[in-house]
Amino acid sequence: VQQLAQAQRVATSATQTFDPSGGGKLTITIGDQSATVTLEPGSTLADLRDAINDQAGSLVSASIVDNGTAQQLVITGRQTGEGQKFSLEGEDGLAGLTFDPDNSPPTDPTSPVYQVQAGQDPRFTFNGLTVTRSSNTIDDLIPGVTLTLQSATEQTSTLSVQRDDSALTQAMQEFVDAYNAVNNTLYTLSYYDPETKTAGPLSGDASVRMIQSQLRNSLNSLTGSGPLRNFTDLGLSFDDKGTLSLDEAKFAQALQNAPEAVNQMLVGTDAQPGLTRRLAPVLEANLQTGGMLDA
């Protein structure tokens, strides 16, 4: 890591407290975004800080630092990166806050407004390639991996990435639990007890049976490849009451021995859809406005 991303930061003079009592306007611009802060005459530096945070808080944040000699108004960009640098254009009593980051911005602390820190992109070397982004959090370099750059260093580090089987197993168990919760709800709504002659409010409703059938078929119709041929090879099974269960040991073994085949079973492709691709249109048809449950 050659350098980290940082946000632009400017401050008023370190030797003389800025007086905003004349009031006025301050326009803050980042790229094609801008916000104008309006300050009434007679306002204090604290009032100006609050007005910036209230009226331009999506672009920058403002604070006051007492350095022992003067109170400094500090304005910091919300986003990191060179492309997120901001300009200030003051009017009337706030004209002294005008600042242009593209025109040799002053760095002298005695200046009315000076640059404390320039907006900067991170720069690092990855497998011999120089890479830049706008943030220290990078989630589009290694598929499925988020990198957080912590500090610049001259040393090279080796990053090893491993699949988190425990997280996959937990997600699978959560799916099983959700399936069973739905199945139990459907049973409660549609049951009929011939001995007591009591029934659920949707007993005999064909829509309920259709939903149950669609969900069950999403699993029953799964086809795999290699060592995994159907949903039971993933450790999934139904009992005689339609309750779904997961054999975690069998699922973990499938992940270990045939991870690509597991991916095919759970995700798949357009040509050979897996579980999630099969469930998505079923859920949408039932849950959307005007869908089965709405009707």
Side-chain angles (χ1 to χ4, degrees):
V1 179
Q2 286 82 43
Q3 66 182 35
L4 295 178
Q6 58 188 26
Q8 178 187 341
R9 180 176 295 120
V10 303
T12 54
S13 172
T15 57
Q16 185 174 354
T17 300
F18 177 76
D19 180 11
S21 60
K25 293 182 178 181
L26 178 67
T27 301
I28 303 170
T29 303
I30 301 178
D32 58 357
Q33 293 183 301
S34 66
T36 299
V37 177
T38 302
L39 192 70
E40 297 295 327
S43 297
T44 65
L45 192 63
D47 293 331
L48 176 56
R49 174 200 60 198
D50 295 342
I52 292 174
N53 288 329
D54 290 342
Q55 301 173 38
S58 62
L59 300 180
V60 298
S61 64
S63 60
I64 296 175
V65 175
D66 188 338
N67 65 17
T69 301
Q71 288 191 325
Q72 292 182 267
L73 177 69
V74 181
I75 303 176
T76 305
R78 289 287 186 187
Q79 303 294 328
T80 60
E82 185 177 348
Q84 294 295 317
K85 56 188 176 183
F86 58 87
S87 63
L88 305 175
E89 184 177 352
E91 300 178 28
D92 300 326
L94 302 183
L97 295 179
T98 297
F99 175 86
D100 183 358
D102 296 322
N103 188 20
S104 300
T107 57
D108 182 358
T110 63
S111 301
V113 179
Y114 69 98
Q115 183 162 273
V116 178
Q117 177 174 281
Q120 177 176 282
D121 292 336
R123 187 174 67 251
F124 59 99
T125 303
F126 175 74
N127 285 348
L129 305 175
T130 299
V131 180
T132 62
R133 290 292 189 272
S134 61
S135 168
N136 291 319
T137 301
I138 299 149
D139 60 6
D140 61 352
L141 187 63
I142 306 172
V145 174
T146 297
L147 301 175
T148 302
L149 306 184
Q150 301 285 1
S151 61
T153 175
E154 296 180 357
Q155 297 177 332
T156 298
S157 298
T158 299
L159 176 66
S160 298
V161 180
Q162 295 179 326
R163 187 180 61 248
D164 189 349
D165 286 355
S166 62
L168 291 171
T169 302
Q170 180 180 349
M172 198 65 181
Q173 184 60 57
E174 289 173 354
F175 163 74
V176 169
D177 293 342
Y179 181 97
N180 288 332
V182 172
N183 192 59
N184 182 65
T185 298
L186 293 175
Y187 172 78
T188 302
L189 292 172
S190 61
Y191 80 95
Y192 177 75
D193 187 335
E195 294 184 1
T196 61
K197 296 183 179 180
T198 57
L202 295 179
S203 178
D205 191 302
S207 300
V208 176
R209 293 194 298 273
M210 183 180 297
I211 293 174
Q212 287 175 313
S213 177
Q214 289 174 335
L215 294 177
R216 181 71 177 258
N217 286 340
S218 296
L219 284 163
N220 287 335
S221 59
L222 281 181
T223 57
S225 60
L228 306 182
R229 295 299 180 182
N230 55 55
F231 71 92
T232 61
D233 294 326
L234 293 174
L236 296 170
S237 61
F238 288 103
D239 64 14
D240 56 0
K241 295 182 179 180
T243 300
L244 185 63
S245 63
L246 173 66
D247 184 331
E248 293 189 0
K250 190 171 183 178
F251 182 66
Q253 188 172 5
L255 280 173
Q256 184 67 32
N257 297 337
E260 292 183 1
V262 173
N263 183 69
Q264 173 60 51
M265 291 284 285
L266 296 181
V267 182
T269 63
D270 290 336
Q272 187 178 353
L275 178 60
T276 56
R277 289 174 184 258
R278 291 174 182 273
L279 277 175
V282 171
L283 298 180
E284 182 178 359
N286 283 294
L287 297 175
Q288 66 185 348
T289 301
M292 182 74 75
L293 293 183
D294 195 9

